[in-house]
Amino acid sequence: MISDKMKEYVSKSSIIRAMFEEGKKLSAVYGDENVFDFSLGNPNVEPPESIKKAVFEILNEESANLVHGYMSNSGYGDVRSAIAENINKKHNLKLTEDNLVMTCGAAGGLNIILKTLLNPADEVITFSPFFGEYENYVNNFDGKLVIVPSDTETFEPDLNALEDKINPRTKAVIINSPNNPTGVVYSEKLIKDLAEVLNRKQEQLGTSIYLISDEPYREIAYDGVKVPYILNYYRNSFVGYSYSKSLSLPGERIGYVVCGSDADDFDDIVQSLNVANRILGFVNAPSLFQRVIAKCLDSKVDVNIYKKNRDILYNHLVDIGFSCVKPQGAFYLFPKSPIPDDVAFAAEAKKFNLLIVPGSSFKCPGHFRLSYCISYDKIKRSLDSFDKLMK
Amino acid sequence: MISDKMKEYVSKSSIIRAMFEEGKKLSAVYGDENVFDFSLGNPNVEPPESIKKAVFEILNEESANLVHGYMSNSGYGDVRSAIAENINKKHNLKLTEDNLVMTCGAAGGLNIILKTLLNPADEVITFSPFFGEYENYVNNFDGKLVIVPSDTETFEPDLNALEDKINPRTKAVIINSPNNPTGVVYSEKLIKDLAEVLNRKQEQLGTSIYLISDEPYREIAYDGVKVPYILNYYRNSFVGYSYSKSLSLPGERIGYVVCGSDADDFDDIVQSLNVANRILGFVNAPSLFQRVIAKCLDSKVDVNIYKKNRDILYNHLVDIGFSCVKPQGAFYLFPKSPIPDDVAFAAEAKKFNLLIVPGSSFKCPGHFRLSYCISYDKIKRSLDSFDKLMK
């Protein structure tokens, strides 16, 4: 009796569940400490202490009906103002509360943006490899996800291929930097070139093409690399932000969407984001955590913990012969699979108690993803298994 | 550039916004204390003290990465088990964690149920008057909402009309008891009769017809009235529950969906609810508040506060000549408009600083809704305005 669309999703998700169950079986046989699960993006670094402090303060000082009550579907005005000012300071912008809508994480944010933009059969472009949910989100509104490849030596998007794929039905382009699954950070030059392509095509076609930057990993960046803020480079921009990784709060579903005031049809857009939050059933971003993050705008998780993980794992893999772009952000490595069949390689890895995700899951076969948001000690103990696997 | 569907929503919501702005204008002129806003369903009763206590305990005692981290898209297993046991005790059932999916409020719950059930053009029936969002939620999945009237003397649904409207495309029937906007509670006999109609039509048509009970007001019931639990009366049942009103936590977006194990295609359904939570962008119900409610299963807001409000307002309105079904639950009155045009009547009410919602908004013209989740004192001071309005 379930819908045709969901039948397909359920059968796909059964495969993932089977993998997960197999992992649990391995743990039962070999002990949890001897199974090396690099498959999940669940942050292992603790949220900053300021989160707990903020919760206590708010519950002690603010009215319970304010803290836990309904507010505008866009979120509390004072929270949005505080975030806007914080962004302005960092990126030299002039945002106000009217440029922000608080969302149930970046996932909620992307969905209200796509609900706002897409008529059935409209196209959204993204670059492979990419986070698989983009396809589902676009599909929620009967849009079509169009995939443009990246150069697999650098994982920078192929902008010529992008230009070729843009047509009158193209409503948006989604980018994700720092990137899941590659860890690559898009440079300022790349963002400028991308903006140039989009501006040129907008003019040629007489349409609006929105650039959507999915930024759950913005704060997880290493080696002093800068993550450009796209509102400074392209007028028709959305940023979908999440505190899932920057504050290690993925379960709390808290984030926001930013749209610049000079975007085409700005007034309709912000009003539509507000309404979409309501009619899609989000209603509003969770209220207590809206107020919490407003008190923790300069807090961050300890990114050095992830950096140490990246360094030991990346260095070891390269030493033993894996080919891999050195990631400058997020908490993923995306090495080449030593055999062309990445699914077979992932199955092989399991024999050494290594749980990894084939690149095919990100529409980039011949690679595999390692999430290194697990303990340093476990990564260290896993290195031996990678040696054996490589042999 | 926004989508055609959203253009329509945005223009509708502009009307509501205009009303809201007008209300603010009235407050500015006459003072907030002299404007009687009966238009919003935002609980004014404080959450029980146990909520705050539970938050403090959890943050002090449980690991921050557990409390704020990802879990199964269906929610924490221990939380679902605890809720299942609590329901079993109250309603003599045998639910387990597998019968429950934690959701972002009842709105999130209804959306994952409808995503699970609906192919485009499938039909969902509800009874007027009804909460307007049902139409939007069904529309999210390209379904069609079919409206069956209630008897306006009792606000019990017309089951003959229901039977006539059921056809092979009918996938679900949504009920809401205690009801928004009428405050009526469906009796056990009514639920039994409803189940009989659905069973008969299922057999005739050879289809599955799911009964969805939207229950944010279950605990807000007066005069010892029983709210029947539909899993005890009909096999193909869903309950969409929310803590928004029972614990005064509407901003926290916390609730759950229950489906009975003997529902048709139960395994596919629960798996689909899980996947729908993910792909619609909810991902999971907010994590801290999942853990909080598991510690507050026997907590309730003080329903007597609402009862006192109902009594003074209902008694006064009836005394001065309004005709109104006496509500046994929720925090709404739905009197007949003394003039046939309910929209004109609401405009008239505004002249006496009374903000009310016309029945047309609930597809039941000739009535108006009063939300009495405001302070007793304010209700008392508003009575004079109702007198003047009636004259």
Side-chain angles (χ1 to χ4, degrees), chain A residues 41-89:
Chain A
N42 199 0
N44 71 310
V45 174
E46 292 249 318
E49 193 58 28
S50 56
I51 297 293
K52 186 171 155 180
K53 201 171 145 259
V55 172
F56 281 38
E57 266 175 32
I58 290 164
L59 294 191
N60 281 327
E61 292 165 18
E62 299 186 21
S63 131
N65 282 338
L66 169 80
V67 172
H68 305 301
Y70 285 127
M71 80 300 303
S72 156
N73 300 120
S74 296
Y76 295 106
D78 62 336
V79 169
R80 289 184 285 142
S81 282
I83 297 171
E85 266 176 53
N86 191 266
I87 298 171
N88 291 344
K89 251 194 312 187

Side-chain angles (χ1 to χ4, degrees), chain A residues 1 3-4 13 44 65 68 115-116 119 133 140 142 208 251-253 265 271 278-279 284 287-288, chain B residues 1 3-4 13 44 65 68 115-116 119 133 140 142 245 251-252 265 271 278-279 283-284 287-288:
Chain A
M1 281 306 294
S3 73
D4 299 335
S13 84
N44 71 310
N65 282 338
H68 305 301
K115 175 85 177 173
T116 291
N119 283 315
E133 297 292 328
N140 283 338
D142 299 314
S208 304
E252 303 299 351
R253 314 311 306 139
D265 292 318
Q271 187 58 15
R278 175 166 62 77
I279 65 178
N284 55 254
S287 52
L288 170 63
Chain B
M1 280 306 292
S3 73
D4 299 335
S13 83
N44 71 310
N65 283 338
H68 305 300
K115 175 85 176 175
T116 291
N119 284 315
E133 298 292 327
N140 283 337
D142 300 314
K245 278 81 185 185
E252 303 300 352
D265 292 319
Q271 186 58 15
R278 175 165 62 75
I279 65 177
V283 183
N284 54 254
S287 52
L288 170 62

